[in-house]
Amino acid sequence: MNQILAHLSANEDVSLQQLLEFLAIGSVSTDPTRAGDVQHCATWLADHLRTIGMPTVEIHQTAGHPIVYAEHLGAGPDKPTVLMYGHYDVQPVDPIDLWTNPPFEPTLRDGKVFARGATDDKGQVFIHVKAVEAMLATSGSLPVNLKMLIEGEEEIGSPNLTPFVREHRERLACDAVVVSDTAMFAPGEPSIVYGLRGLAYLQIDVQGPNRDLHSGSYGGPVANPLNALCTIIGKMKDEQGRVTIPGFYDDVLDVSDQERAELAGLQYSDERLKGDVGVTALGGESGFSSVEKLWTRPTLDVNGIYGGFTGEGAKTVLPAKGMAKVSMRLVPHQEHHDIARKVQDFVNSITPPGITATVTDLHGADPVLVPRDAPAMHAAARALMRDEARIPPAIAVCNLAVEDAGDSFTLMVVEFFRGHEGDTDA
Ligand SMILES: [Zn+2]
């Protein structure tokens, strides 16, 4: 390990220059005029992986932007195989006038790199690349079999990743997946992310009379769909902030006392949260701390609501219809299709007479959880605890399990960062 750290130190300046070169490529995946830059970025990365000694490096063209794949399987069949996932594409740069330096002219200030992609995700990808380079340069080998999958479409929803993973299932097989594409709990505070909440996203349409009516002529006997919509939504939660949809909590995994104690030990400030979002009090499900609400409990939120007269002044319309978008963050072991059905049944059971309610399952994702006692998790924790020489210029190691769970390519993140803090995008 000392040799590896010495190698990293000795090559710090060169590595930094290479990182700045990588960051200077404007690989904005959503911008068609940048498609050439995205392609160039894939080529640059693949060339670099060859330079550091990865024996197999491939650029896979897709229906969209290319996927860079590399492998080093020299550790042999007795050693675990780790898949490293990352992305080399970046977010658009707007609003450009809020940047101190042009986003694709990486600039060092106070020992930090400012450029688009510096922390999402080129910086992290590059840390892995440099770690591999240092190991290969000092010992000629890696302690595990390594597969690297670095895509160019993460920022646009990875449309071609699932087909790629399906097609190359056997080739991508691994014991653990390492990802550095989440966040630290706080600057300088290493974090292992071992779960992600899922999502169920629904639209509720309500229909009352066959046309917009005048409330003076029809108000009273004719049920108002907007009132009905508000009643339906109002009945979805009780005064304790608990979701009242029957069966909603049936599959929710209880958090162990140990885990609750660990969460309680984090320096999470409700005051800071209130100040950050500009509210005088926090809400949500009673009986749980903010961290528990954020990470271990499901939610139900109205994301949009629309109907009737919304123009200036007054209009006494009794509207014909209304619509709301409602979504729920899910936790293990809730399933988004199951939750959507439960919402559907609940809405049907409470819809007032004279109103038709239609619930549409728009999209969703199931929550994921990495077992905390998995060997890869222990390895991640050991690496995180390592308290040897400083690791320049920054090192991020994460661990993530990928499963092709039927419908979707699901990433499960175990992440920890250490070393340099605050390299940032803007
Ligand atoms: Zn990212």
Side-chain angles (χ1 to χ4, degrees):
M1 178 55 88
N2 286 337
Q3 260 184 310
I4 294 168
L5 295 177
H7 185 275
L8 286 167
S9 283
N11 291 280
E12 187 172 344
D13 290 343
V14 178
S15 298
L16 179 60
Q17 288 313 312
Q18 291 165 341
L19 172 63
L20 300 186
E21 221 178 279
F22 189 29
L23 290 168
I25 306 170
S27 49
V28 181
S29 49
T30 194
D31 182 352
T33 69
R34 290 276 192 181
D37 291 325
V38 180
Q39 178 74 47
H40 171 51
C41 197
T43 306
W44 188 94
L45 181 59
D47 286 346
H48 196 75
L49 288 167
R50 286 185 195 104
T51 308
I52 68 162
M54 288 297 283
T56 304
V57 180
E58 298 162 0
I59 295 179
H60 290 261
Q61 298 300 335
T62 71
H65 301 303
I67 289 172
V68 176
Y69 178 74
E71 59 184 28
H72 187 299
L73 306 179
D78 296 340
K79 296 288 185 185
T81 298
V82 174
L83 181 109
M84 184 231 123
Y85 164 88
H87 63 92
Y88 65 84
D89 64 320
V90 299
Q91 284 272 333
V93 296
D94 306 314
I96 191 80
D97 51 333
L98 292 183
W99 285 79
T100 308
N101 56 280
F104 297 116
E105 291 176 24
T107 304
L108 282 169
R109 283 197 301 278
D110 306 326
K112 296 173 184 169
V113 177
F114 290 82
R116 173 57 89 220
T119 62
D120 183 14
D121 186 35
K122 285 178 175 174
Q124 291 95 317
V125 164
F126 208 63
I127 286 161
H128 291 296
V129 172
K130 291 292 109 177
V132 171
E133 178 184 35
M135 286 184 197
L136 290 175
T138 51
S139 70
S141 64
L142 298 178
V144 295
N145 298 300
L146 179 67
K147 300 176 178 182
M148 301 175 99
L149 174 65
I150 306 162
E151 66 158 324
E153 297 189 311
E154 196 277 341
E155 303 293 5
I156 53 171
S158 306
N160 293 295
L161 188 61
T162 299
F164 181 83
V165 170
R166 290 233 172 92
E167 196 185 327
H168 299 90
R169 222 188 154 101
E170 269 165 45
R171 195 157 183 219
L172 297 173
C174 60
D175 300 296
V177 178
V178 175
V179 168
S180 312
D181 195 24
T182 54
M184 290 195 288
F185 176 70
E189 200 144 341
S191 314
I192 297 181
V193 178
Y194 55 92
L196 291 173
R197 288 195 292 186
L199 183 75
Y201 201 114
L202 310 172
Q203 178 170 324
I204 304 173
D205 288 281
V206 285
Q207 174 80 46
N210 58 8
R211 62 190 188 280
D212 283 356
L213 304 174
H214 189 274
S215 70
S217 312
Y218 293 95
V222 179
N224 181 320
L226 286 185
N227 288 51
L229 184 58
C230 293
T231 302
I232 290 167
I233 290 169
K235 284 185 176 174
M236 287 181 166
K237 274 186 176 182
D238 66 16
E239 280 167 13
Q240 305 303 310
R242 275 182 68 86
V243 176
T244 51
I245 295 161
F248 184 79
Y249 293 99
D250 279 1
D251 299 315
V252 170
L253 187 70
D254 280 333
V255 175
S256 69
D257 289 344
Q258 189 201 339
E259 209 171 337
R260 286 191 90 167
E262 285 173 22
L263 293 175
L266 293 170
Q267 300 299 308
Y268 191 88
S269 164
D270 280 355
E271 291 309 313
R272 198 185 311 149
L273 175 59
K274 282 194 268 184
D276 175 27
V277 301
V279 296
T280 54
L282 297 174
E285 194 180 0
S286 63
F288 296 93
S289 71
S290 291
V291 168
E292 288 170 342
K293 287 174 196 167
L294 285 168
W295 296 350
T296 74
R297 300 298 296 170
T299 64
L300 186 151
D301 282 293
V302 178
N303 303 109
I305 187 161
Y306 180 79
F309 177 67
T310 57
E312 226 174 289
K315 182 186 177 192
T316 51
V317 64
L318 195 168
K321 57 189 178 181
M323 182 272 279
K325 307 263 189 187
V326 176
S327 71
M328 287 139 280
R329 290 283 160 188
L330 308 179
V331 300
H333 300 291
Q334 291 175 303
E335 290 174 2
H336 72 96
H337 286 307
D338 176 63
I339 291 295
R341 270 191 303 274
K342 284 170 174 163
V343 175
Q344 239 148 11
D345 291 346
F346 181 67
V347 170
N348 289 339
S349 73
I350 60 168
T351 301
I355 301 291
T356 309
T358 312
V359 179
T360 310
D361 185 353
L362 291 182
H363 78 107
D366 288 330
V368 286
L369 187 68
V370 179
R372 281 156 53 101
D373 56 357
M377 187 76 94
H378 285 296
R382 276 199 307 278
L384 186 63
M385 305 287 222
R386 203 181 281 278
D387 196 23
E388 296 179 13
R390 78 193 188 92
I391 303 177
I395 188 154
V397 185
C398 337
N399 186 334
L400 172 153
V402 173
E403 56 182 8
D404 186 353
D407 290 331
S408 59
F409 180 71
T410 308
L411 298 182
M412 187 146 56
V413 187
V414 180
E415 172 154 2
F416 62 84
F417 282 73
R418 65 168 293 165
H420 211 73
E421 66 186 59
D423 285 3
T424 185
D425 270 358

